[in-house]
Amino acid sequence: MKLDYLEIYDTTLRDGAQSEGISFSVDDKIKIAKKLDDFGVDFIEGGWPGSNPKDMEFFEQAAEIEWKNARIAAFGSTRRVKSQVFEDTNIRLLLAAKTPVVTIFGKSWNLHVTEGLRTTLEKNLELIHDSIDYLKQHDKMVIYDAEHYFDGYKANPEYALQTLQTAVEAGAERIVLCDTNGGTLVHELLEIIEASLALDLGVPFGIHAHNDSDVAVANTVAAVNRGLNHVQGTINGYGERCGNANLCSVIANVALKCDTKVKEKVNLSSLTNLSRYVSELANLAHREEAPYVGNSAFAHKGGIHVSAIRRNRQTYEHIDPSLIGNHQRVLVSDQSGQSNILQKAEEMGIDLSGNGHDVKNIVHHLKEMEHLGYQFEGADGSLQVLFMKATGQYKPFFELLSARVLIDKREDDSIESEAVLKIRVNNIVEHTAAEGHGPVDALDKALRKALEPFYPTMKSLHLVDYKVRVLNSEKATAAQVRVFIESSDDVSVWGTVGVSENIIQASWLALVDSISYKLIKDNKDVHEQ
Amino acid sequence: MKLDYLEIYDTTLRDGAQSEGISFSVDDKIKIAKKLDDFGVDFIEGGWPGSNPKDMEFFEQAAEIEWKNARIAAFGSTRRVKSQVFEDTNIRLLLAAKTPVVTIFGKSWNLHVTEGLRTTLEKNLELIHDSIDYLKQHDKMVIYDAEHYFDGYKANPEYALQTLQTAVEAGAERIVLCDTNGGTLVHELLEIIEASLALDLGVPFGIHAHNDSDVAVANTVAAVNRGLNHVQGTINGYGERCGNANLCSVIANVALKCDTKVKEKVNLSSLTNLSRYVSELANLAHREEAPYVGNSAFAHKGGIHVSAIRRNRQTYEHIDPSLIGNHQRVLVSDQSGQSNILQKAEEMGIDLSGNGHDVKNIVHHLKEMEHLGYQFEGADGSLQVLFMKATGQYKPFFELLSARVLIDKREDDSIESEAVLKIRVNNIVEHTAAEGHGPVDALDKALRKALEPFYPTMKSLHLVDYKVRVLNSEKATAAQVRVFIESSDDVSVWGTVGVSENIIQASWLALVDSISYKLIKDNKDVHEQ
């Protein structure tokens, strides 16, 4: 039996979270799940209840949310050899997660049965049967992940097939063939799939591939082309060791290049955005060279390529990047740089060539700042302030006379951060101080205290996000630091950026840009010195 | 005709150098070429003479070197439509490069002939023929890269095949099918290869794949399995847009999992080293999750996995990592059970159950810290200190009495960071101060100044990496911050971690752990209070 569409099972929050360097908070997980739901995936595997406290907390919160497209799945193993199914801790926690779907993994590889579980092949079939049967009695949709299926099949094909049969007899509604160690190449995978489909179990099959041989996406797409339309993977291919099949690539390949239908609810044109969002929450740099969704995926260097794509995009682009929400970039071309910047300024209502200014100089200045580590993609606030400065349209809202930040740490580990600020507004000198949770918080508080009497609308300004990236981290504590701040005033949201060797200075630059942007917005006419 | 071994053609220095962010110096290129030669590749494509001055300089230097295994190749296009072959600048520069091998690319796709070259299909065959024929007259070995072959075949199979036939008739010794736009999936690729081999041209075929569909390695391996044993690719998959086929993965897959022979001269066990070396010279971070050669490729996190690999490595490793010069690693994380932690402690030579301590309590404590935002995966230094503290084996090397950090910012935007520190070492109170590039740098300097007289080995300690992650960034400047520090003393490298609402405090915690780790290492017996 074959599904007549691509069924997307996302395990970013469980298998993806096994990536070295990823550690999602419960809050991160809820945010990502909502984004996946918006995008249109069918299943969201939230975690393994009981493996750590965060996972259960996620399921508690998830149960309260009305999901539009996705069903939430809890993941866990078959019952233990020594416990009865109804008293098995793992199985009980799976039920406690209160998800509509439970994904159970069991052993298909005789080696794992005897060396891992240290039980008999016979007994392992019982574990599979009991666990699925019990979950079905509790009205769960059960997906069966056949762990190490391909290695198992190579070692003992009869037994591997028997485990699948057992799972189906117990009521599993999906049978997912897992290449857990990621060691299988495409041709082997297809041979084993062929032999397994011959069983004709009457249940849709799926594929779960790992990337240890650098072919996880190819394996997944090959399986889909053979009718295994339930695909498990992660956004950006996150996952332990070399990662899982990258759903971004899989979905794009299937949607744009294969016969299998991708449901209409799948919002393909937000794929790039989804990918970036998840890397942001994982706090991993978005891979520039990532297929389809990377910043370089449709970037063309000068020369032959550029003149050819100007005549016909198809000459050097395998798909139209807008289909997946990405865009073409032409590199090392001042001409195109200029037109981008002109377009951006126009959007902001700024006439860059006004006041007799030269757009070329502004572009040049911007490139210099980018060379220093500035990045304006998420920092429209800073960009607008910069445009206004460059064209003489900016008048500062205050003048900094001095700022001092003091961090005081005592023997008992208590710590205090204090900022002392002297600024001039309207020719009045304000000398003020504030404490905060850290040096930047203290600076922010002191600055507001000084400015609010003059600019009452600042009360509505608040910071919603704060990010730090160390640029040349190998210079260690003397490295260049980039700070991104996202601010909002309940009407709009804007980003600002600051770069310095000193994290406090970088934060200060981003803070001041944020306040300037806000005040420009509110005081289009009344600029005060 | 089929080669009876894998013929490795490396284009890291040409196609790889098209990567966004890569800019090799001539010196870099020579170094990489030597490394590739040592490793045992068959061909090294050094560049496109004439495309920039660096490339010609490389060829001049390369001509003076005695290569052990590799032949150097120069890359260029067929002659221009409007010039005779002997007066064509491109062809003349190819000869001037004085390489034994020349790789010529020509158009196979009718679209590119008419839209790119703006000439007739007939004329394009002449360009291919003339260029190869002329180079053969000059005793070059000629490799023909059929650009856009797969797209060309889809558009006009007869014409695409005709271009190959022309190249062979003119004397090309290899015909390389290129998926220039990287849009072809494995099954399509194999169909087109099948049809093309049917021509039976009597010359070995090769494959050149790009990764725009995330299947470049799979395509290359599939082609090899079909007898296209000449493979073109780059180390680490560098290349324009989404990169080229990653030779590290291709070579490992073919050597360890396919029937095609890999020559004995290929030094497989230095593959990881080669990969790291090239990323070092490219000045790009080595991809942790890279298949085979990445630092995470054989890293195990989940508790179940770890207990299984302790019994039998094969259970969760698709190959023995030492075959390609990599090694197994066990990570500690919130997924991990007791067995990870036991093994980790064992590696560090710490007996966790010694002194009557309970491993369960230690695991519990670790999980609580992870819940707070700590992450020990890259922080072996902090982990060791924590283990020693938990088992009563740790005696502090100094006592903090007070620390004060002052950041002073003036109107002229100059900024100064100063740290004042009072600590007690060996019952002596040290009161000292230092300036730095930022608050953390100042703290680091002050701490060293105070400690070095007591612990002279600290002089060899230096910080090599500094990373900051804001954990709950939506709390903006009052968010929890995690700081990672990597330190080294020229003998070993270790990571430490600190978490706090206050970035200075988080940095302090990581700094102190780093110093403690260093001093524990150096003073196994002589603990001072």
Side-chain angles (χ1 to χ4, degrees), chain B residues 190-215:
Chain B
L190 284 174
E191 277 169 30
I192 294 172
I193 285 177
E194 217 53 62
S196 312
L197 287 176
L199 262 189
D200 201 9
L201 288 173
V203 160
F205 272 35
I207 184 77
H208 175 117
H210 281 261
N211 202 35
D212 300 73
S213 307
D214 217 348
V215 298

PDB file of all heavy atoms in Angstrom, chain B residues 190-215:
ATOM      1  N   LEU B 190      21.397   8.157 -14.029  1.00  0.00           N
ATOM      2  CA  LEU B 190      21.727   6.797 -14.461  1.00  0.00           C
ATOM      3  C   LEU B 190      21.110   6.468 -15.818  1.00  0.00           C
ATOM      4  O   LEU B 190      21.738   5.820 -16.651  1.00  0.00           O
ATOM      5  CB  LEU B 190      21.283   5.789 -13.396  1.00  0.00           C
ATOM      6  CG  LEU B 190      22.192   5.728 -12.158  1.00  0.00           C
ATOM      7  CD1 LEU B 190      21.599   4.815 -11.085  1.00  0.00           C
ATOM      8  CD2 LEU B 190      23.608   5.260 -12.509  1.00  0.00           C
ATOM      9  N   GLU B 191      19.897   6.955 -16.035  1.00  0.00           N
ATOM     10  CA  GLU B 191      19.259   6.715 -17.342  1.00  0.00           C
ATOM     11  C   GLU B 191      20.074   7.337 -18.465  1.00  0.00           C
ATOM     12  O   GLU B 191      20.304   6.719 -19.512  1.00  0.00           O
ATOM     13  CB  GLU B 191      17.856   7.335 -17.382  1.00  0.00           C
ATOM     14  CG  GLU B 191      16.775   6.464 -16.772  1.00  0.00           C
ATOM     15  CD  GLU B 191      15.470   7.240 -16.602  1.00  0.00           C
ATOM     16  OE1 GLU B 191      15.200   8.168 -17.397  1.00  0.00           O
ATOM     17  OE2 GLU B 191      14.740   6.913 -15.639  1.00  0.00           O
ATOM     18  N   ILE B 192      20.519   8.565 -18.241  1.00  0.00           N
ATOM     19  CA  ILE B 192      21.252   9.274 -19.293  1.00  0.00           C
ATOM     20  C   ILE B 192      22.635   8.650 -19.496  1.00  0.00           C
ATOM     21  O   ILE B 192      23.125   8.539 -20.626  1.00  0.00           O
ATOM     22  CB  ILE B 192      21.315  10.783 -18.972  1.00  0.00           C
ATOM     23  CG1 ILE B 192      19.887  11.370 -19.027  1.00  0.00           C
ATOM     24  CG2 ILE B 192      22.243  11.524 -19.940  1.00  0.00           C
ATOM     25  CD1 ILE B 192      19.761  12.794 -18.543  1.00  0.00           C
ATOM     26  N   ILE B 193      23.260   8.222 -18.403  1.00  0.00           N
ATOM     27  CA  ILE B 193      24.558   7.542 -18.523  1.00  0.00           C
ATOM     28  C   ILE B 193      24.400   6.278 -19.360  1.00  0.00           C
ATOM     29  O   ILE B 193      25.195   5.995 -20.266  1.00  0.00           O
ATOM     30  CB  ILE B 193      25.124   7.200 -17.123  1.00  0.00           C
ATOM     31  CG1 ILE B 193      25.668   8.471 -16.463  1.00  0.00           C
ATOM     32  CG2 ILE B 193      26.209   6.128 -17.216  1.00  0.00           C
ATOM     33  CD1 ILE B 193      26.189   8.282 -15.050  1.00  0.00           C
ATOM     34  N   GLU B 194      23.351   5.538 -19.059  1.00  0.00           N
ATOM     35  CA  GLU B 194      23.095   4.283 -19.783  1.00  0.00           C
ATOM     36  C   GLU B 194      23.019   4.544 -21.290  1.00  0.00           C
ATOM     37  O   GLU B 194      23.681   3.888 -22.090  1.00  0.00           O
ATOM     38  CB  GLU B 194      21.763   3.705 -19.278  1.00  0.00           C
ATOM     39  CG  GLU B 194      21.733   2.209 -19.178  1.00  0.00           C
ATOM     40  CD  GLU B 194      22.898   1.658 -18.372  1.00  0.00           C
ATOM     41  OE1 GLU B 194      23.009   1.968 -17.170  1.00  0.00           O
ATOM     42  OE2 GLU B 194      23.691   0.926 -18.978  1.00  0.00           O
ATOM     43  N   ALA B 195      22.225   5.537 -21.650  1.00  0.00           N
ATOM     44  CA  ALA B 195      22.041   5.853 -23.068  1.00  0.00           C
ATOM     45  C   ALA B 195      23.353   6.312 -23.700  1.00  0.00           C
ATOM     46  O   ALA B 195      23.635   6.025 -24.871  1.00  0.00           O
ATOM     47  CB  ALA B 195      20.979   6.941 -23.218  1.00  0.00           C
ATOM     48  N   SER B 196      24.179   7.008 -22.909  1.00  0.00           N
ATOM     49  CA  SER B 196      25.417   7.554 -23.465  1.00  0.00           C
ATOM     50  C   SER B 196      26.479   6.476 -23.622  1.00  0.00           C
ATOM     51  O   SER B 196      27.276   6.501 -24.563  1.00  0.00           O
ATOM     52  CB  SER B 196      25.940   8.676 -22.577  1.00  0.00           C
ATOM     53  OG  SER B 196      24.888   9.568 -22.268  1.00  0.00           O
ATOM     54  N   LEU B 197      26.500   5.525 -22.688  1.00  0.00           N
ATOM     55  CA  LEU B 197      27.474   4.443 -22.795  1.00  0.00           C
ATOM     56  C   LEU B 197      27.184   3.563 -23.998  1.00  0.00           C
ATOM     57  O   LEU B 197      28.084   2.925 -24.564  1.00  0.00           O
ATOM     58  CB  LEU B 197      27.479   3.593 -21.521  1.00  0.00           C
ATOM     59  CG  LEU B 197      28.113   4.232 -20.280  1.00  0.00           C
ATOM     60  CD1 LEU B 197      27.951   3.316 -19.072  1.00  0.00           C
ATOM     61  CD2 LEU B 197      29.581   4.567 -20.502  1.00  0.00           C
ATOM     62  N   ALA B 198      25.935   3.550 -24.400  1.00  0.00           N
ATOM     63  CA  ALA B 198      25.537   2.719 -25.538  1.00  0.00           C
ATOM     64  C   ALA B 198      26.283   3.118 -26.810  1.00  0.00           C
ATOM     65  O   ALA B 198      26.439   2.319 -27.736  1.00  0.00           O
ATOM     66  CB  ALA B 198      24.022   2.812 -25.741  1.00  0.00           C
ATOM     67  N   LEU B 199      26.737   4.364 -26.861  1.00  0.00           N
ATOM     68  CA  LEU B 199      27.505   4.831 -28.021  1.00  0.00           C
ATOM     69  C   LEU B 199      28.810   4.050 -28.198  1.00  0.00           C
ATOM     70  O   LEU B 199      29.352   3.980 -29.291  1.00  0.00           O
ATOM     71  CB  LEU B 199      27.901   6.301 -27.829  1.00  0.00           C
ATOM     72  CG  LEU B 199      27.083   7.399 -28.463  1.00  0.00           C
ATOM     73  CD1 LEU B 199      27.800   8.727 -28.316  1.00  0.00           C
ATOM     74  CD2 LEU B 199      26.817   7.121 -29.945  1.00  0.00           C
ATOM     75  N   ASP B 200      29.342   3.570 -27.087  1.00  0.00           N
ATOM     76  CA  ASP B 200      30.581   2.779 -27.089  1.00  0.00           C
ATOM     77  C   ASP B 200      31.731   3.507 -27.771  1.00  0.00           C
ATOM     78  O   ASP B 200      32.256   3.064 -28.789  1.00  0.00           O
ATOM     79  CB  ASP B 200      30.302   1.425 -27.781  1.00  0.00           C
ATOM     80  CG  ASP B 200      31.340   0.391 -27.361  1.00  0.00           C
ATOM     81  OD1 ASP B 200      32.124   0.667 -26.434  1.00  0.00           O
ATOM     82  OD2 ASP B 200      31.354  -0.691 -27.986  1.00  0.00           O
ATOM     83  N   LEU B 201      32.135   4.615 -27.182  1.00  0.00           N
ATOM     84  CA  LEU B 201      33.116   5.494 -27.822  1.00  0.00           C
ATOM     85  C   LEU B 201      34.564   5.044 -27.657  1.00  0.00           C
ATOM     86  O   LEU B 201      35.466   5.634 -28.241  1.00  0.00           O
ATOM     87  CB  LEU B 201      32.952   6.924 -27.311  1.00  0.00           C
ATOM     88  CG  LEU B 201      31.691   7.637 -27.813  1.00  0.00           C
ATOM     89  CD1 LEU B 201      31.516   8.990 -27.138  1.00  0.00           C
ATOM     90  CD2 LEU B 201      31.743   7.831 -29.336  1.00  0.00           C
ATOM     91  N   GLY B 202      34.793   4.027 -26.846  1.00  0.00           N
ATOM     92  CA  GLY B 202      36.152   3.503 -26.729  1.00  0.00           C
ATOM     93  C   GLY B 202      37.093   4.354 -25.893  1.00  0.00           C
ATOM     94  O   GLY B 202      38.325   4.202 -25.974  1.00  0.00           O
ATOM     95  N   VAL B 203      36.547   5.238 -25.096  1.00  0.00           N
ATOM     96  CA  VAL B 203      37.356   6.124 -24.247  1.00  0.00           C
ATOM     97  C   VAL B 203      36.737   6.090 -22.849  1.00  0.00           C
ATOM     98  O   VAL B 203      35.515   6.061 -22.725  1.00  0.00           O
ATOM     99  CB  VAL B 203      37.326   7.566 -24.827  1.00  0.00           C
ATOM    100  CG1 VAL B 203      37.705   8.601 -23.791  1.00  0.00           C
ATOM    101  CG2 VAL B 203      38.221   7.660 -26.049  1.00  0.00           C
ATOM    102  N   PRO B 204      37.559   6.101 -21.785  1.00  0.00           N
ATOM    103  CA  PRO B 204      36.963   6.090 -20.445  1.00  0.00           C
ATOM    104  C   PRO B 204      36.118   7.332 -20.171  1.00  0.00           C
ATOM    105  O   PRO B 204      36.496   8.432 -20.559  1.00  0.00           O
ATOM    106  CB  PRO B 204      38.185   6.059 -19.509  1.00  0.00           C
ATOM    107  CG  PRO B 204      39.309   5.543 -20.344  1.00  0.00           C
ATOM    108  CD  PRO B 204      39.030   6.037 -21.741  1.00  0.00           C
ATOM    109  N   PHE B 205      34.992   7.129 -19.504  1.00  0.00           N
ATOM    110  CA  PHE B 205      34.098   8.226 -19.140  1.00  0.00           C
ATOM    111  C   PHE B 205      34.358   8.637 -17.693  1.00  0.00           C
ATOM    112  O   PHE B 205      34.849   7.852 -16.881  1.00  0.00           O
ATOM    113  CB  PHE B 205      32.640   7.792 -19.280  1.00  0.00           C
ATOM    114  CG  PHE B 205      32.074   8.004 -20.664  1.00  0.00           C
ATOM    115  CD1 PHE B 205      32.858   7.838 -21.796  1.00  0.00           C
ATOM    116  CD2 PHE B 205      30.744   8.365 -20.824  1.00  0.00           C
ATOM    117  CE1 PHE B 205      32.331   8.027 -23.076  1.00  0.00           C
ATOM    118  CE2 PHE B 205      30.202   8.558 -22.088  1.00  0.00           C
ATOM    119  CZ  PHE B 205      30.997   8.394 -23.219  1.00  0.00           C
ATOM    120  N   GLY B 206      33.988   9.885 -17.412  1.00  0.00           N
ATOM    121  CA  GLY B 206      34.094  10.390 -16.045  1.00  0.00           C
ATOM    122  C   GLY B 206      32.838  11.148 -15.656  1.00  0.00           C
ATOM    123  O   GLY B 206      31.924  11.323 -16.466  1.00  0.00           O
ATOM    124  N   ILE B 207      32.802  11.594 -14.394  1.00  0.00           N
ATOM    125  CA  ILE B 207      31.630  12.297 -13.877  1.00  0.00           C
ATOM    126  C   ILE B 207      32.087  13.541 -13.118  1.00  0.00           C
ATOM    127  O   ILE B 207      33.112  13.527 -12.435  1.00  0.00           O
ATOM    128  CB  ILE B 207      30.798  11.360 -12.970  1.00  0.00           C
ATOM    129  CG1 ILE B 207      29.503  12.037 -12.497  1.00  0.00           C
ATOM    130  CG2 ILE B 207      31.606  10.866 -11.766  1.00  0.00           C
ATOM    131  CD1 ILE B 207      28.420  12.102 -13.528  1.00  0.00           C
ATOM    132  N   HIS B 208      31.331  14.619 -13.264  1.00  0.00           N
ATOM    133  CA  HIS B 208      31.612  15.889 -12.589  1.00  0.00           C
ATOM    134  C   HIS B 208      30.260  16.403 -12.110  1.00  0.00           C
ATOM    135  O   HIS B 208      29.446  16.846 -12.911  1.00  0.00           O
ATOM    136  CB  HIS B 208      32.269  16.847 -13.603  1.00  0.00           C
ATOM    137  CG  HIS B 208      32.514  18.235 -13.097  1.00  0.00           C
ATOM    138  ND1 HIS B 208      33.782  18.775 -12.976  1.00  0.00           N
ATOM    139  CD2 HIS B 208      31.679  19.217 -12.679  1.00  0.00           C
ATOM    140  CE1 HIS B 208      33.702  20.023 -12.522  1.00  0.00           C
ATOM    141  NE2 HIS B 208      32.436  20.311 -12.337  1.00  0.00           N
ATOM    142  N   ALA B 209      30.028  16.311 -10.798  1.00  0.00           N
ATOM    143  CA  ALA B 209      28.689  16.638 -10.272  1.00  0.00           C
ATOM    144  C   ALA B 209      28.725  17.858  -9.363  1.00  0.00           C
ATOM    145  O   ALA B 209      29.697  18.078  -8.639  1.00  0.00           O
ATOM    146  CB  ALA B 209      28.138  15.439  -9.501  1.00  0.00           C
ATOM    147  N   HIS B 210      27.657  18.630  -9.404  1.00  0.00           N
ATOM    148  CA  HIS B 210      27.481  19.743  -8.460  1.00  0.00           C
ATOM    149  C   HIS B 210      26.322  19.426  -7.525  1.00  0.00           C
ATOM    150  O   HIS B 210      25.471  18.598  -7.824  1.00  0.00           O
ATOM    151  CB  HIS B 210      27.234  21.053  -9.217  1.00  0.00           C
ATOM    152  CG  HIS B 210      28.504  21.644  -9.761  1.00  0.00           C
ATOM    153  ND1 HIS B 210      29.186  22.655  -9.133  1.00  0.00           N
ATOM    154  CD2 HIS B 210      29.226  21.322 -10.863  1.00  0.00           C
ATOM    155  CE1 HIS B 210      30.275  22.944  -9.838  1.00  0.00           C
ATOM    156  NE2 HIS B 210      30.323  22.153 -10.897  1.00  0.00           N
ATOM    157  N   ASN B 211      26.318  20.127  -6.378  1.00  0.00           N
ATOM    158  CA  ASN B 211      25.463  19.686  -5.275  1.00  0.00           C
ATOM    159  C   ASN B 211      24.166  20.468  -5.104  1.00  0.00           C
ATOM    160  O   ASN B 211      23.574  20.471  -4.033  1.00  0.00           O
ATOM    161  CB  ASN B 211      26.272  19.742  -3.967  1.00  0.00           C
ATOM    162  CG  ASN B 211      25.685  18.841  -2.912  1.00  0.00           C
ATOM    163  OD1 ASN B 211      25.171  17.772  -3.237  1.00  0.00           O
ATOM    164  ND2 ASN B 211      25.720  19.271  -1.663  1.00  0.00           N
ATOM    165  N   ASP B 212      23.686  21.118  -6.142  1.00  0.00           N
ATOM    166  CA  ASP B 212      22.495  21.952  -5.993  1.00  0.00           C
ATOM    167  C   ASP B 212      21.245  21.181  -5.585  1.00  0.00           C
ATOM    168  O   ASP B 212      20.307  21.764  -5.039  1.00  0.00           O
ATOM    169  CB  ASP B 212      22.242  22.730  -7.292  1.00  0.00           C
ATOM    170  CG  ASP B 212      23.422  23.615  -7.634  1.00  0.00           C
ATOM    171  OD1 ASP B 212      24.467  23.068  -8.057  1.00  0.00           O
ATOM    172  OD2 ASP B 212      23.320  24.833  -7.440  1.00  0.00           O
ATOM    173  N   SER B 213      21.199  19.888  -5.857  1.00  0.00           N
ATOM    174  CA  SER B 213      20.055  19.082  -5.410  1.00  0.00           C
ATOM    175  C   SER B 213      20.429  18.226  -4.203  1.00  0.00           C
ATOM    176  O   SER B 213      19.670  17.349  -3.808  1.00  0.00           O
ATOM    177  CB  SER B 213      19.555  18.177  -6.542  1.00  0.00           C
ATOM    178  OG  SER B 213      19.301  18.935  -7.699  1.00  0.00           O
ATOM    179  N   ASP B 214      21.595  18.477  -3.627  1.00  0.00           N
ATOM    180  CA  ASP B 214      22.053  17.775  -2.418  1.00  0.00           C
ATOM    181  C   ASP B 214      22.342  16.291  -2.690  1.00  0.00           C
ATOM    182  O   ASP B 214      22.273  15.469  -1.779  1.00  0.00           O
ATOM    183  CB  ASP B 214      21.008  17.907  -1.299  1.00  0.00           C
ATOM    184  CG  ASP B 214      21.668  18.063   0.074  1.00  0.00           C
ATOM    185  OD1 ASP B 214      22.887  17.836   0.172  1.00  0.00           O
ATOM    186  OD2 ASP B 214      20.963  18.402   1.042  1.00  0.00           O
ATOM    187  N   VAL B 215      22.663  15.953  -3.930  1.00  0.00           N
ATOM    188  CA  VAL B 215      22.924  14.553  -4.256  1.00  0.00           C
ATOM    189  C   VAL B 215      24.219  14.384  -5.073  1.00  0.00           C
ATOM    190  O   VAL B 215      24.395  13.381  -5.762  1.00  0.00           O
ATOM    191  CB  VAL B 215      21.734  13.915  -5.035  1.00  0.00           C
ATOM    192  CG1 VAL B 215      20.470  13.924  -4.195  1.00  0.00           C
ATOM    193  CG2 VAL B 215      21.478  14.607  -6.365  1.00  0.00           C
TER     194      VAL B 215
END
